[in-house]
Amino acid sequence: MSSADIIYEKVHFGHDPKWSIRLRPEEGGGLFCLACVVEIIQADEIAYVRKSFALSGVSGMLKRSAGALKELLRQDHRVTLHFIITLIGMLQTVEDLFTVEKVDQVLVQLLLEFQNELPLHFVLDEIHKQLGDMFNVTRFRSMFIFLGNLLKTVPNVAHSLMTQYVPLLDHLCSAWLYPDEALKTSLVFIWLQLLGTSGDAAAQSLPVVIRDRVCRLLLQTLQTFASAGSGQLIKNCAGLLWQLVRLDGAVPVLMNSSGSQVICDENQDSLANNSQILVQNQEQQPADHCLLPLLLKTLLLSGDETLQVTSAKCIAAILVHSPSQYCSVFIKADLPVFLFDRLACCSSEMLLRFIYFCLLLLTEDPLLFSQCHTVYGIESLVRSLKEASNLTNLDVPKQGFLLLTEILERQPPSVHLFPSGSAFGAVSEVLLAGVSSSCLSVATQAISATTALFGLNHQPSPVQYKEIIGLIETITSKFPELLLPSSTHRRNTGSLRRSDPNSQTFRSQEYLLKVLVCFQAACRLAEECASEPFLMKNPFTSPYKHKCTDSLESLCQCLLRCCDSVWIPTVLRFC
């Protein structure tokens, strides 16, 4: 017998030759007997190492010569079913982890290869039947891992489970209650794959009672293990949470559940019959009792960037679902503080983008400003914009400047964001980099933020005229780069009406319009400063300086010079 042969010498002579095949060298070589493989994995006296070797041979055939194995199995459909039932049974009885992994691997490969010939409901029926005995739940862990891998690999399984196997889903929920972290990890993985592979439309077909129960089980698990659980369990939970917040019906359940209520509901295990009543009761809960914002804060505080990104994505999805309903809940839970803190030490492109988006949605609620979250976070935002300007994805700094614009425009005049010259200088430096960007869309958004910064309520005492002048001169210096058609060409071709929004010409036109608004804001600021004598000059400027560049006079001279030499000629040429 060759070392590559996969046969059971003790019984091989009694098997019909039709179950054997001689593999070609490129297929691994040796003699392969399917009947021997079945005998080997069923025999109690055979060591696990030999069972694993036999299963490795099956796995290798499925990878290198699946057609040959198919021909063997097609000879008798009953043998195929018996083989699969035996493998499923091994998931519960075999204790050797390496062998269990091989069983899982072979089952998934086999079902993927035969998904068009073998009815999947046969496998799901067998799993459901074996899960009926829930007295020793821990022995089903390998079964749950297999089911998760099957869902991940064979897409059709998810739809069948959600539409035809609701009792099986109920069994999975009941098993989730068992106090074993490894078991919970495998169960959460099943739900993650179930919702993740079926698509948003198909996920909506999940029965409401099951969906709501999963929501509460997930919150309970996160509440218990968010700080002390294994990394894989928390990552699975965070991924499942992301899948759930994308379902419209799941968001109210997640957001209206308090910590004590989640535990009570699951201990009583009475959710299925009382779902409607519970939802009505939860809507009467005070916002302060909402559990999910606290859990999302815990994920944001974790040192794992994947968890932080998932948390930010979940916050954004919930706010998009209903900003008016959930903004105040997140703000009262001090979530903006944690988001701003993440900005201060973040260099991840994806995390920056989602935090900017979350904060942008939160600016729609005046509570963000009245509770001084923007005063606390403005320094972190400015620091993050410095980091964002170095990223290759220019959408990130663009969104950051949009957030800065919204904060500057909505900030109450009575609460100053830049009480000192150094704070104003820091934001001016960031805006200077923004308006100097080679990307016109980023520069245009930075100009909008600059326009908002030119409001009198954002000026420190003393007014930093030198910083304002630097911004105006930098904006003006970009005019030669603009691709603006002449007024004659524009009238002849109608280019303004037909410009492609993605074209350089259209962006140049948009840039010019934003610059004119910014120029108006600068002139208004100069006028308002002129009406207040103590604002006209920086009192800390040396009186012996012959040419002061940090005064209202120097700002007015800069505006006139730029207007005469660049802005008016450009506008006349274009219009």
Side-chain angles (χ1 to χ4, degrees):
M1 185 186 79
S2 167
S3 61
D5 291 345
I6 301 176
I7 60 173
Y8 187 10
E9 306 89 342
K10 186 177 178 181
V11 297
H12 177 62
F13 66 90
H15 293 154
D16 192 319
K18 72 176 184 178
W19 296 113
S20 300
I21 185 173
R22 178 69 63 177
L23 300 176
R24 295 189 298 271
E26 61 269 20
E27 296 173 340
L31 180 66
F32 178 89
C33 177
L34 180 62
C36 285
V37 170
V38 176
E39 297 263 17
I40 289 171
I41 63 176
Q42 287 184 141
D44 294 333
E45 68 274 12
I46 293 183
Y48 286 134
V49 65
R50 188 163 184 189
K51 293 177 188 282
S52 298
F53 178 74
L55 291 169
S56 296
V58 177
S59 178
M61 279 200 70
L62 285 166
K63 289 178 181 176
R64 295 187 293 269
S65 53
L69 184 59
K70 275 187 174 183
E71 290 303 317
L72 288 177
L73 290 170
R74 282 172 180 158
Q75 296 178 108
D76 192 331
H77 192 60
R78 293 171 300 173
V79 172
T80 305
L81 298 182
H82 176 70
F83 185 38
I84 291 174
I85 290 174
T86 303
L87 290 172
I88 292 175
M90 289 179 70
L91 292 172
Q92 298 177 66
T93 58
V94 174
E95 296 179 358
D96 181 67
L97 294 180
F98 183 74
T99 305
V100 169
E101 287 180 7
K102 285 295 178 184
V103 171
D104 186 308
Q105 182 182 3
V106 169
L107 265 173
V108 171
Q109 286 179 284
L110 198 61
L111 293 170
L112 178 63
E113 194 66 39
F114 281 85
Q115 61 179 312
N116 296 325
E117 301 176 36
L118 180 71
L120 287 172
H121 68 78
F122 168 77
V123 179
L124 298 177
D125 285 340
E126 185 64 25
I127 293 173
H128 188 200
K129 183 175 71 176
Q130 297 200 28
L131 288 179
D133 174 20
M134 301 294 285
F135 293 107
N136 185 10
V137 179
T138 52
R139 70 187 179 94
F140 291 116
R141 178 170 173 256
S142 298
M143 180 84 75
F144 295 146
I145 294 174
F146 158 67
L147 184 54
N149 290 332
L150 182 64
L151 284 162
K152 182 179 180 179
T153 310
V154 186
N156 298 339
V157 178
H159 183 263
S160 298
L161 265 178
M162 286 193 291
T163 56
Q164 302 172 37
Y165 288 87
V166 175
L168 175 54
L169 298 180
D170 195 54
H171 277 310
L172 296 176
C173 288
S174 298
W176 196 339
L177 291 167
Y178 196 82
D180 181 274
E181 186 174 332
L183 190 72
K184 289 180 184 291
T185 301
S186 60
L187 282 161
V188 176
F189 181 70
I190 289 175
W191 287 103
L192 175 60
Q193 297 305 320
L194 183 64
L195 296 178
T197 59
S198 59
D200 292 346
Q204 298 288 351
S205 64
L206 185 67
V208 173
V209 170
I210 298 293
R211 182 202 66 200
D212 292 357
R213 192 176 183 192
V214 169
C215 289
R216 291 184 179 83
L217 284 165
L218 176 62
L219 291 176
Q220 182 189 14
T221 305
L222 280 170
Q223 186 180 20
T224 307
F225 294 98
S227 301
S230 70
Q232 194 55 55
L233 174 59
I234 302 307
K235 285 182 180 179
N236 287 354
C237 285
L240 178 56
L241 180 61
W242 165 238
Q243 296 296 337
L244 286 170
V245 296
R246 296 162 67 186
L247 304 179
D248 291 340
V251 172
V253 179
L254 291 165
M255 286 299 293
N256 292 322
S257 296
S258 64
S260 59
Q261 188 174 17
V262 166
I263 294 173
C264 178
D265 288 343
E266 292 310 325
N267 285 343
Q268 294 176 359
D269 201 17
S270 60
L271 177 63
N273 297 325
N274 299 291
S275 178
Q276 296 297 328
I277 298 172
L278 286 172
V279 171
Q280 292 171 5
N281 290 340
Q282 288 161 3
E283 290 174 352
Q284 300 170 7
Q285 289 283 337
D288 296 341
H289 290 184
C290 187
L291 174 63
L292 186 55
L294 304 179
L295 298 174
L296 290 169
K297 285 197 294 187
T298 304
L299 296 179
L300 278 175
L301 284 171
S302 72
D304 191 303
E305 185 180 304
T306 303
L307 294 179
Q308 293 171 351
V309 170
T310 305
S311 177
K313 287 167 63 178
C314 290
I315 296 167
I318 293 168
L319 291 174
V320 168
H321 176 78
S322 180
S324 60
Q325 186 175 1
Y326 298 127
C327 272
S328 60
V329 178
F330 282 136
I331 293 169
K332 288 176 182 177
D334 286 334
L335 212 58
V337 173
F338 290 80
L339 291 170
F340 278 122
D341 282 345
R342 286 297 93 200
L343 282 182
C345 55
C346 175
S347 58
S348 163
E349 179 180 298
M350 186 173 292
L351 185 56
L352 275 175
R353 182 158 58 93
F354 280 108
I355 291 179
Y356 284 153
F357 186 50
C358 289
L359 289 168
L360 195 58
L361 293 167
L362 289 171
T363 58
E364 297 181 18
D365 195 316
L367 196 62
L368 180 74
F369 302 94
S370 62
Q371 291 196 351
C372 295
H373 287 298
T374 49
V375 175
Y376 172 83
I378 191 66
E379 184 180 347
S380 298
L381 174 57
V382 170
R383 196 178 305 164
S384 74
L385 280 168
K386 287 183 181 178
E387 190 72 38
S389 63
N390 299 322
L391 298 176
T392 54
N393 184 355
L394 297 176
D395 286 335
V396 178
K398 182 180 177 182
Q399 192 164 37
F401 283 121
L402 176 59
L403 172 61
L404 179 60
T405 304
E406 291 296 320
I407 290 176
L408 292 172
E409 289 178 349
R410 295 171 184 257
Q411 183 68 20
S414 59
V415 183
H416 293 286
L417 291 173
F418 312 108
S420 65
S422 59
F424 188 87
V427 71
S428 298
E429 181 183 347
V430 165
L431 288 172
L432 204 63
V435 298
S436 304
S437 173
S438 57
C439 176
L440 270 182
S441 59
V442 173
T444 302
Q445 189 56 63
I447 287 173
S448 294
T450 304
T451 302
L453 183 68
F454 285 168
L456 185 63
N457 58 306
H458 293 311
Q459 306 310 309
S461 181
V463 177
Q464 303 296 296
Y465 290 109
K466 187 175 182 179
E467 306 289 355
I468 297 171
I469 290 169
L471 284 167
I472 293 170
E473 289 179 340
T474 303
I475 291 170
T476 305
S477 68
K478 285 189 72 70
F479 273 55
E481 302 174 18
L482 302 180
L483 294 177
L484 295 170
S486 66
S487 57
T488 305
H489 178 267
R490 187 174 56 81
R491 282 193 295 268
N492 291 339
T493 63
S495 61
L496 186 62
R497 290 189 301 272
R498 296 200 303 267
S499 289
D500 178 6
N502 295 319
S503 69
Q504 192 75 359
T505 300
F506 183 89
R507 289 173 178 170
S508 296
Q509 295 165 358
E510 187 181 26
Y511 180 90
L512 179 59
L513 292 173
K514 295 290 185 182
V515 163
L516 293 176
V517 175
C518 186
F519 174 70
Q520 184 184 23
C523 292
R524 188 187 306 113
L525 175 62
E527 183 182 6
E528 289 171 338
C529 289
S531 64
E532 300 288 346
F534 70 94
L535 294 177
M536 293 182 66
K537 188 174 182 179
N538 189 335
F540 299 107
T541 302
S542 170
Y544 301 103
K545 267 196 168 185
H546 296 291
K547 186 176 181 181
C548 176
T549 59
D550 199 12
S551 65
L552 176 60
E553 181 183 358
S554 58
L555 171 61
C556 292
Q557 289 175 353
C558 171
L559 288 170
L560 289 171
R561 183 175 63 256
C562 291
C563 189
D564 287 344
S565 61
V566 180
W567 293 12
I568 289 178
T570 302
V571 172
L572 288 175
R573 187 172 65 252
F574 175 64
C575 298

